[in-house]
Amino acid sequence: MSVDLEALYIDLHRHPELSFQETRTAGVVTRALAALGLDFVEGLGKTGVATSITGEREPEPGTRGPVVWLRADMDALPVHEETGLAYASTARGTDPSGTDVPVMHACGHDMHVTALLGALERLTATKAEWAGTVVAVFQPAEEYGAGSQAMIADGVLDAFPKPDIVLGQHLTPLPAGTIGVRPGTQMAASDGLTVTLHGRGGHGSRPHATIDPVVMAAATVMRLQTVVSREVDPREMAVVTVGSIHAGLKNNIIPAEARLELSLRYPDDDARASVMARVERVVRAEAAASGAEREPEIVVDHSLPPTINDPQATARLTAAFDRAFGEGTVVDPGMFTGSEDVSWFARDAGAPLVFWFWGGVDPQQYADAVARGTVNEDIPTNHSPFFAPVLHPTIERGVDALVIAAREFLS
Ligand code: ZN
Ligand code: ZN
């Protein structure tokens, strides 16, 4: 049989599902795996699916051969699609707060699933040529940064041979055909924090009888701006964003507390520890400066590790891509300040990781935007309602990249 990848992609694109709700998508995946004659385990981390293929060549004597994990994420986003495509999504979903929201594959995870199914078809058809094991993981809820840990909690690392290397790819607004990868930190680590500042509420006409958490919050937000600008080495990268601030209900009531939500980013675990410590110091010191009677509470809501590409494996992969696709296909896209949860599979198994990006933008459209100097304005990025990869050669390049990468590390 042969999978019609274009039809598969369009079907997934038309039917996006929010994080941890990817039941239809998982059904598409399991039907495709069954059609390839592959066994699978479903329901890992709610909706995740995993499968494995064993090569038919003899591995090195005394070994089972290399184990290569390939990972694709499956979830979509609460975004109203505005691409105007014939196959644009009109889907709606219910978010965790119970709100009815539009849903769109605005991050390209539909393309990730399509490419991985295409790669599995080819690896199955050629299994007489290679030794070792390919484990393919279809992961839920990457956008929550929670899906990979949910699959690990459900035993995916025990149900399948542990990886010798973990490989994954993500669609990005580079020209279709181009691959972007760099050794070392490819994507930042990030933490989401909720900070609760405690004051003492009272009448707006009697501020002296209160401890005003609004002023405490304002001072904290301003002082937090100095963590990166005054305390982090200018040659290093870090971000401290206060994305949400809430306190009070009425002009003449001084509230009892204020809540801040922070997004922190850094390139590695050392930078994480140091920025975290400084943020905590500022929060506690500003509360003390305001005369707070209760210590503030700092809760880490979610935590994503840095995505660090193993230098040796990345060099090997870049050479393999260059051989297959021609010199100049692979570019260094720089470090992305976005974050990913793919690394948990590698971290928990103690295995190296390579995570690369591949382009989906019409090359002429991209070249024109570069010539005009309007890439930021004219080329929609991931999470944009206009994010619309061209189907070809994006699908083919995604499949080829996974197969070439897997074969490079299988004997
Ligand atoms: Zn995303
Ligand atoms: Zn994504």
Side-chain angles (χ1 to χ4, degrees), residues 13-26:
H13 192 82
R14 275 201 168 116
H15 299 99
E17 294 171 299
L18 292 172
S19 305
F20 282 131
Q21 301 180 28
E22 308 89 338
T23 48
R24 183 186 183 278
T25 308

Side-chain angles (χ1 to χ4, degrees), residues 73 75 77 106-109 142-143 170 339-340 382-383:
D73 42 10
D75 52 331
L77 289 159
C107 203
H109 299 186
E142 187 281 326
E143 298 290 357
H170 203 299
S339 307
E340 250 289 341
N382 303 62
H383 294 204

Side-chain angles (χ1 to χ4, degrees), residues 194-199 212-218 221 242-250 255-262:
T194 298
V195 172
T196 307
L197 301 168
H198 299 287
D212 189 344
V214 173
V215 176
M216 199 189 302
V221 171
V242 182
S244 164
I245 173 166
H246 281 97
L249 295 169
K250 194 172 182 304
E257 64 175 46
R259 208 177 64 238
L260 308 177
E261 290 179 11
L262 278 63

Side-chain angles (χ1 to χ4, degrees), residues 171-178 358-363 388-391 394:
L171 203 59
T172 202
L174 283 171
T178 300
W358 94 107
V361 182
D362 174 47
V390 293
L391 299 183
T394 311

Side-chain angles (χ1 to χ4, degrees), residues 100-355:
D100 176 68
V101 292
V103 189
M104 173 191 176
H105 267 298
C107 203
H109 299 186
D110 44 356
M111 190 63 83
H112 304 174
V113 171
T114 303
L116 182 50
L117 286 171
L120 293 180
E121 179 184 31
R122 195 156 342 138
L123 288 164
T124 304
T126 57
K127 66 182 175 184
E129 298 172 12
W130 51 270
T133 307
V134 170
V135 175
V137 176
F138 295 87
Q139 181 207 303
E142 187 281 326
E143 298 290 357
Y144 285 0
S148 65
Q149 284 185 306
M151 289 190 82
I152 291 167
D154 276 356
V156 72
L157 280 166
D158 305 314
F160 292 89
K162 285 201 174 34
D164 294 311
I165 187 160
V166 176
L167 303 171
Q169 60 179 2
H170 203 299
L171 203 59
T172 202
L174 283 171
T178 300
I179 289 178
V181 67
R182 72 197 308 264
T185 302
Q186 176 66 81
M187 299 184 79
S190 86
D191 289 277
L193 268 54
T194 298
V195 172
T196 307
L197 301 168
H198 299 287
R200 190 193 321 130
H203 201 289
S205 67
R206 293 174 46 80
H208 59 286
T210 72
I211 296 167
D212 189 344
V214 173
V215 176
M216 199 189 302
T220 304
V221 171
M222 291 312 294
R223 186 83 199 181
L224 284 171
Q225 307 309 309
T226 67
V227 169
V228 172
S229 72
R230 302 293 87 185
E231 297 194 52
V232 174
D233 185 326
R235 293 166 296 183
E236 305 289 327
M237 167 270 168
V239 178
V240 175
T241 291
V242 182
S244 164
I245 173 166
H246 281 97
L249 295 169
K250 194 172 182 304
N251 70 323
N252 63 355
I253 305 170
I254 292 171
E257 64 175 46
R259 208 177 64 238
L260 308 177
E261 290 179 11
L262 278 63
S263 177
L264 313 181
R265 313 268 166 170
Y266 4 69
D268 55 47
D269 292 330
D270 287 347
R272 174 180 193 270
S274 116
V275 171
M276 277 282 216
R278 287 166 168 153
V279 165
E280 180 170 353
R281 192 198 73 228
V282 167
V283 168
R284 294 198 185 288
E286 285 296 345
S290 295
E293 293 158 332
R294 256 176 80 188
E295 280 286 313
E297 278 133 28
I298 303 173
V299 176
V300 178
D301 299 313
H302 60 83
S303 190
L304 289 172
T307 303
I308 297 177
N309 284 333
D310 180 80
Q312 278 165 351
T314 305
R316 218 174 135 181
L317 203 57
T318 303
F321 286 154
D322 278 342
R323 280 197 303 278
F325 301 134
E327 296 276 340
T329 302
V330 181
V331 300
D332 180 344
M335 192 191 101
F336 292 166
T337 51
S339 307
E340 250 289 341
D341 71 348
V342 63
S343 349
W344 289 123
F345 295 118
R347 285 188 165 222
D348 274 37
L353 167 84
V354 186
F355 192 71

